[in-house]
Amino acid sequence: MRVESANFPTKNLRETLTEICYGTSTPPTFFLPSVDTVPFVRATDIKEGQIQLENLLHISSEQPPKMDKCLLSGGEVIVVRSGANTGDSAFIPYELAGAYAAYDLILKFKNTINPKFVAYFLDTEIGRLQLNLVRGRSAQPHVNAEEVSEIRIVLPDLNKQVELVAAMDKARSQRKQKLAKADALLSSLDKFILDTLNFRLPPPDNRKVYATTLSQMIGERIDPYSNKPYFQKLFNAIQNSPHNVLTLINLSIRIFSGTTPLAKGEAYVDPPNGVRFIRSGEITTEGTVTPTSEVHISDEIHTGKMKSSQLQKGDLLIAIVGATIGAVGIYNLDEPANINQAIASVRLSNNEVLGEYICWYLRSSIGQRLLDYFKRPVARANINLAEVGEIPIIIPDLQIQETVLTEVYNRRSEAQRLRSEAETGWQAAKQWFEDQLLGGS
């Protein structure tokens, strides 16, 4: 193993630890954040070697003694213990002192060790390789305290650890800045689209009690949510637009959805056999469709039971079920594919409107509020196909549509460049970190 020929001494990870603990296996009751709650760190909160602080769940700050083992003081390293993300790790920032950890491993270190250095090491190729070796020894991905404590780590003196950590922190910050700039380029498209359409959204209306008349109702739904005064104002503003307005059903050849084949039988095949099965999570933030799961269904299913949900290049895909509602993208791959029931596909027919313009109109705050109106706020929110057809689209002349799309293409291209540059720089930094320890390849 390369680690044994490193530039610095090597030790088992346990030699750096004062303690290694297990988080709780019993999920506590969750509450809205308040002065009486503290964050609860789960495996899903660990991404890219960091704790994602924005969406942490909260639990009561008063916990029974059996939870003491899960209490964090900041400065630890947490390692995901089981599941698809087994082996992912992150440094616990000191701002999380007093928080608790879920079913994962909590590593506490001697004062001669920089915990961030260990977190960065575990994310190197040599660190991940060792974690992957132990996680794959059982049927389900899993690591325990003994296995993690036996991982070999290259250990320069504390001053060198601090130096390497500072360099990696700087590289991570540069990556974050570029990704944020890329996100800002796309998110600011909303203002550009609204300004180009000369459209102003109604002001927010947060009233919880309101009255409406039959004449003010927008459609046939009589639930309180869809009859909020805000939605009435939104539809009025759209109908009073200086541009033409048509619904999706008037702009399309057909609107259809798919289904999910049963796991039994021979519906699913290994790629490259069969055809792609697109799910709503594969509709990207850039208005495209990027298959990530490589799930394929057989040609027989695609041309048989699911013939009616076959995609064509240029189809507009809209997520219509669950947490992904609001995702919109164009299927632009030169290969056959099929969809599940969480997606509505709109096959456009009107030459006076560009598919990608409709995509970005629906991705704008106008479209997102329309999709919010049509969804049913039930346990699993959904929009049916008839309602998809009722979505009103503001249609300016082709020159204005092309102006919108030119701006979209330019910003998307720059965002892609920034993201590529950010990831390339970050991977180079991780390789540099490893080379500093191991002396290069």
Side-chain angles (χ1 to χ4, degrees):
M1 185 182 292
R2 285 181 62 205
V3 72
E4 300 302 339
S5 58
N7 294 335
F8 302 98
T10 60
K11 293 183 178 181
N12 287 340
L13 190 56
R14 59 179 164 77
E15 297 178 69
T16 70
L17 301 171
T18 59
E19 189 177 8
I20 184 167
C21 307
Y22 288 93
T24 180
S25 58
T26 305
T29 302
F30 298 116
F31 299 94
L32 292 175
S34 74
V35 294
D36 298 318
T37 66
V38 292
F40 186 69
V41 180
R42 303 164 297 160
T44 52
D45 298 317
I46 300 171
K47 294 179 182 177
E48 305 291 345
Q50 286 187 303
I51 305 296
Q52 305 300 303
L53 302 174
E54 296 82 8
N55 298 310
L56 291 175
L57 296 179
H58 280 65
I59 63 174
S60 171
S61 56
E62 297 295 328
Q63 292 293 325
K66 66 179 182 179
M67 288 284 285
D68 288 349
K69 64 174 184 175
C70 318
L71 183 63
L72 301 172
S73 57
E76 302 95 340
V77 169
I78 191 166
V79 179
V80 177
R81 183 180 171 191
S82 64
N85 299 325
T86 298
D88 286 359
S89 58
F91 170 77
I92 302 293
Y94 291 98
E95 63 193 276
L96 285 181
Y100 288 85
Y103 185 70
D104 293 307
L105 297 174
I106 307 164
L107 282 56
K108 302 181 180 183
F109 296 90
K110 298 176 180 176
N111 57 15
T112 56
I113 304 298
N114 186 306
K116 265 194 177 183
F117 170 83
V118 177
Y120 279 129
F121 178 86
L122 292 176
D123 196 37
T124 61
E125 182 179 352
I126 196 67
R128 295 295 312 195
L129 175 61
Q130 294 184 76
L131 284 164
N132 289 341
L133 285 173
V134 295
R135 65 170 269 176
R137 290 175 183 169
S138 56
Q140 296 293 328
H142 180 88
V143 294
N144 59 39
E146 182 178 353
E147 291 167 334
V148 169
S149 65
E150 293 302 312
I151 286 175
R152 299 292 288 174
I153 182 170
V154 180
L155 208 62
D157 62 42
L158 187 57
N159 288 336
K160 185 65 175 179
Q161 293 174 39
V162 171
E163 175 190 324
L164 293 175
V165 164
M168 292 300 289
D169 282 349
K170 181 178 179 181
R172 188 192 290 279
S173 176
Q174 291 172 340
R175 172 180 180 268
K176 185 176 181 180
Q177 289 171 12
K178 288 179 180 178
L179 292 177
K181 188 174 180 180
D183 290 342
L185 278 169
L186 294 179
S187 62
S188 60
L189 268 171
D190 183 64
K191 183 178 184 305
F192 175 81
I193 292 172
L194 267 64
D195 288 346
T196 303
L197 294 178
N198 193 26
F199 187 89
R200 294 294 176 266
L201 289 167
D205 187 340
N206 297 319
R207 285 180 289 169
K208 298 186 182 297
V209 178
Y210 45 86
T212 190
T213 65
L214 285 174
S215 62
Q216 291 174 315
M217 292 176 63
I218 302 165
E220 297 181 357
R221 281 172 54 177
I222 59 173
D223 59 285
Y225 187 80
S226 64
N227 286 285
K228 287 182 175 182
Y230 179 85
F231 291 132
Q232 295 168 358
K233 294 174 183 176
L234 174 64
F235 275 82
N236 285 336
I238 291 172
Q239 293 305 322
N240 291 325
S241 166
H243 306 290
N244 192 20
V245 177
L246 290 174
T247 60
L248 276 180
I249 193 66
N250 298 125
L251 295 168
S252 63
I253 300 171
R254 61 188 289 249
I255 298 173
F256 59 93
S257 188
T259 186
T260 299
L262 295 175
K264 298 178 181 178
E266 299 179 352
Y268 299 96
V269 295
D270 294 329
N273 299 312
V275 299
R276 291 189 184 276
F277 186 54
I278 305 296
R279 278 86 65 84
S280 58
E282 294 169 323
I283 302 174
T284 73
T285 57
E286 295 184 351
T288 58
V289 177
T290 304
T292 55
S293 63
E294 292 296 334
V295 175
H296 282 217
I297 59 174
S298 69
D299 290 304
E300 291 74 18
I301 293 289
H302 175 67
T303 57
K305 293 180 180 179
M306 297 183 66
K307 182 178 181 179
S308 63
S309 55
Q310 295 175 2
L311 294 181
Q312 293 180 7
K313 186 174 182 178
D315 283 351
L316 175 71
L317 304 188
I318 306 172
I320 56 172
V321 176
T324 57
I325 285 180
V328 185
I330 298 288
Y331 183 75
N332 267 336
L333 299 181
D334 289 309
E335 59 179 289
N338 222 300
I339 52 175
N340 68 3
Q341 66 274 20
I343 295 175
S345 179
V346 181
R347 189 158 296 159
L348 298 166
S349 61
N350 193 310
N351 293 328
E352 295 302 312
V353 61
L354 304 174
E356 289 211 64
Y357 164 76
I358 296 180
C359 172
W360 284 93
Y361 169 86
L362 291 175
R363 294 180 62 85
S364 77
S365 52
I366 308 172
Q368 291 297 295
R369 282 163 175 76
L370 287 169
L371 289 166
D372 186 44
Y373 162 77
F374 281 105
K375 77 179 181 184
R376 288 174 173 78
V378 293
R380 194 173 190 215
N382 64 87
I383 304 171
N384 65 42
L385 296 183
E387 291 166 332
V388 171
E390 294 173 15
I391 297 173
I393 309 296
I394 298 174
I395 307 172
D397 62 43
L398 281 173
Q399 184 177 1
I400 294 177
Q401 294 178 46
E402 289 168 352
T403 297
V404 169
L405 294 182
T406 297
E407 189 70 15
V408 166
Y409 299 150
N410 289 341
R411 294 193 189 200
R412 186 163 61 187
S413 176
E414 177 63 8
Q416 290 170 344
R417 184 192 70 78
L418 285 166
R419 286 180 178 141
S420 176
E421 193 174 284
E423 295 307 326
T424 299
W426 179 238
Q427 293 305 317
K430 292 205 289 187
Q431 185 60 57
W432 171 85
F433 179 86
E434 186 172 301
D435 289 345
Q436 292 296 301
L437 299 175
L438 304 181
S441 57

